[in-house]
Amino acid sequence: MLPSSNIPLNEHQLASITQEAFWCFSLSHYKKDGVKQAALALQDTYFGNVNLALLLIWLNSLNLSFSVSDLPLLEAALHKSDTLLHSYRKLRKQIKSTQDQTLYQEALRFELQIEKQQQNDLITALIRIPLVIKTDNNQISLLTHYCRSLQADALLPALESNQHNNTSN
């Protein structure tokens, strides 16, 4: 449950929550020191979803939140593409071992298209969830809740990278 002091988003604010804005944030954040390694550990060791983690980090950077009880709605939005993404990722890794760089690059480009579609699915689900502007900076982040559910708390500092520094200024 969200504290009543949080402020609901208006239609204009909600309109800024787009797949393209999320994709641009994700590409930028993923390049930060330690994020890629932490994201891969979240995916490969804890069986978490990197796109969901990136969405939660993005929302936190925008000072937005939603009720933790709505997190399963986002997880459900991933089911459609998750199986395809996992299968294709496994195939791409097999292609990498053949050292056919052209085929590997094509496989990587296609995998990125699936990732982008998954992010689109997340945004489609997200806009159906009541979003609020956080007014309580002591509130536990949605990413913290997600990582704790996976027992991946140790990855939080690397996943968040400079988020705490950016939001406290």
Side-chain angles (χ1 to χ4, degrees):
M1 193 86 166
L2 289 172
S4 59
S5 61
N6 286 322
I7 304 164
L9 266 64
N10 62 39
E11 286 184 33
H12 176 71
Q13 292 165 318
L14 190 57
S16 68
I17 307 298
T18 66
Q19 190 276 330
E20 189 59 35
F22 176 35
W23 182 252
C24 289
F25 170 84
S26 297
L27 292 176
S28 173
H29 189 74
Y30 198 78
K31 292 177 185 175
K32 291 181 179 179
D33 286 342
V35 173
K36 178 180 179 178
Q37 294 80 2
L40 292 174
L42 180 75
Q43 170 187 290
D44 297 338
T45 305
Y46 298 95
F47 307 104
N49 184 285
V50 173
N51 284 316
L52 179 54
L54 287 168
L55 179 69
L56 301 177
I57 295 164
W58 181 51
L59 290 174
N60 193 52
S61 77
L62 297 172
N63 212 31
L64 299 177
S65 191
F66 57 84
S67 174
V68 174
S69 64
D70 287 326
L71 201 50
L73 297 173
L74 293 175
E75 291 173 315
L78 298 169
H79 292 304
K80 186 170 84 172
S81 56
D82 243 4
T83 303
L84 176 62
L85 189 56
H86 289 292
S87 298
Y88 207 81
R89 189 174 290 130
K90 183 178 178 182
L91 176 62
R92 179 185 50 81
K93 288 177 181 179
Q94 290 172 344
I95 291 170
K96 187 176 185 177
S97 68
T98 68
Q99 298 183 3
D100 182 339
Q101 285 304 307
T102 303
L103 184 58
Y104 178 77
Q105 290 303 316
E106 286 299 316
L108 185 58
R109 272 192 283 281
F110 186 72
E111 186 178 336
L112 284 174
Q113 288 304 312
I114 300 170
E115 295 270 5
K116 200 168 189 176
Q117 179 58 50
Q118 190 172 76
Q119 286 196 354
N120 187 55
D121 294 344
L122 283 169
I123 293 296
T124 300
L126 179 68
I127 60 175
R128 295 185 184 123
I129 295 172
L131 293 172
V132 295
I133 299 170
K134 291 190 308 185
T135 56
D136 179 6
N137 289 332
N138 295 322
Q139 182 179 341
I140 295 175
S141 77
L142 292 166
L143 180 65
T144 299
H145 283 286
Y146 182 58
C147 286
R148 284 182 181 167
S149 75
L150 300 170
Q151 299 180 341
D153 303 47
L155 298 177
L156 279 166
L159 285 170
E160 290 173 329
S161 187
N162 296 323
Q163 286 303 304
H164 290 299
N165 295 337
N166 292 341
T167 57
S168 63
N169 291 338

